[in-house]
Amino acid sequence: KQEVTQIPAALSVPEGENLVLNCSFTDSAIYNLQWFRQDPGKGLTSLLLIQSSQREQTSGRLNASLDKSSGRSTLYIAASQPGDSATYLCAVRLIWAGTALIFGKGTTLSVSS
Amino acid sequence: GAVVSQHPSWVICKSGTSVKIECRSLDFQATTMFWYRQFPKQSLMLMATSNEGSKATYEQGVEKDKFLINHASLTLSTLTVTSAHPEDSSFYICSARDEGTSSYGYTFGSGTRLTVV
């Protein structure tokens, strides 16, 4: 059974710091991995999607890497801002078509000004 | 990009009543939609996979008679919580993928906060 783990569970940093969020998964037979952002009481906003054949994806100050063989992904946030404060979730999609995403519990990030 | 609309965003109901939550794909068709439940400070747990024109597939431990799912069209799936109880209070989110494009990512609705009193 696929399990997704995110470390740390919570993180507090001052504005301007670069930070890394970690995600690990037990079964490397994934189709892709997706990082989401969730604000309190809200739905999910997709940040980055990495296909299993890819090593990384970048969007603005965000960079996500994927090492499928070791079952790990990292989300790098450069020059953090208070507006980045949210819960970040990673999710994997298994190789079988039509399957739902399996989520980690998330990392709650707080960026202070 | 693909947009999924979910309504209502929040609802309060009395114990024993039923509540319907709608999930619509606004600019694409989705033969498959997914319903998740999220408890405070917990991850999203898949409840069921909604299939257009056929019965939903429920995850282990999810009561299909309590959480009725209907996917009558390619753009609409509904989740009805029947005979709601306080323990059903939770955050419910649906998601879908635009199968008509090369995009492989899933889009999520804004969620529904259900409170049963």
Side-chain angles (χ1 to χ4, degrees):
Chain A
K1 178 183 177 183
Q2 177 73 273
E3 293 184 0
V4 180
T5 303
Q6 290 188 246
I7 296 174
L11 182 62
S12 293
V13 300
E15 183 177 7
E17 273 202 12
N18 302 324
L19 55 99
V20 175
L21 307 181
N22 297 291
C23 173
S24 62
F25 45 94
T26 55
D27 188 344
S28 62
I30 65 169
Y31 191 74
N32 57 40
L33 183 146
Q34 202 165 351
W35 282 93
F36 294 90
R37 168 183 173 142
Q38 185 177 30
D39 292 289
K42 304 294 184 181
L44 276 65
T45 300
S46 179
L47 298 174
L48 289 166
L49 170 70
I50 309 177
Q51 295 292 78
S52 62
S53 59
Q54 297 174 326
R55 299 287 290 182
E56 67 176 345
Q57 284 287 326
T58 298
S59 176
R61 294 183 293 108
L62 305 179
N63 175 276
S65 67
L66 174 64
D67 184 342
K68 197 174 71 167
S69 61
S70 67
R72 295 181 180 179
S73 176
T74 61
L75 178 65
Y76 175 83
I77 302 177
S80 58
Q81 303 171 357
D84 294 331
S85 299
T87 296
Y88 292 81
L89 296 163
C90 78
V92 298
R93 180 184 172 191
L94 299 178
I95 61 174
W96 302 284
T99 58
L101 299 179
I102 301 171
F103 284 84
K105 291 186 177 181
T107 294
T108 299
L109 172 65
S110 176
V111 182
S112 56
S113 56
Chain B
V3 177
V4 172
S5 175
Q6 188 173 339
H7 292 281
S9 56
W10 62 270
V11 59
I12 302 174
C13 71
K14 293 184 178 181
S15 291
T17 61
S18 295
V19 173
K20 179 184 287 188
I21 303 170
E22 291 188 349
C23 181
R24 293 181 183 272
S25 55
L26 295 187
D27 49 0
F28 67 97
Q29 294 182 332
T31 58
T32 303
M33 292 185 177
F34 303 94
W35 287 95
Y36 292 84
R37 181 174 182 176
Q38 185 179 33
F39 291 103
K41 297 186 178 180
Q42 295 295 316
S43 185
L44 279 73
M45 299 300 296
L46 179 67
M47 297 176 64
T49 301
S50 173
N51 305 297
E52 188 269 335
S54 64
K55 292 182 178 180
T57 304
Y58 290 83
E59 294 300 299
Q60 189 174 10
V62 178
E63 299 177 60
K64 62 180 181 180
D65 295 329
K66 181 169 189 58
F67 298 100
L68 299 179
I69 291 174
N70 183 277
H71 195 153
S73 77
L74 288 171
T75 59
L76 175 64
S77 176
T78 61
L79 169 67
T80 301
V81 183
T82 63
S83 186
H85 291 282
E87 56 265 32
D88 298 325
S89 298
S90 189
F91 193 59
Y92 295 87
I93 310 179
C94 66
S95 80
R97 185 175 67 85
D98 186 351
E99 300 156 9
T101 73
S102 60
S103 171
Y104 298 99
Y106 286 79
T107 301
F108 283 76
S110 56
T112 298
R113 170 71 60 192
L114 170 63
T115 302
V116 184
V117 297

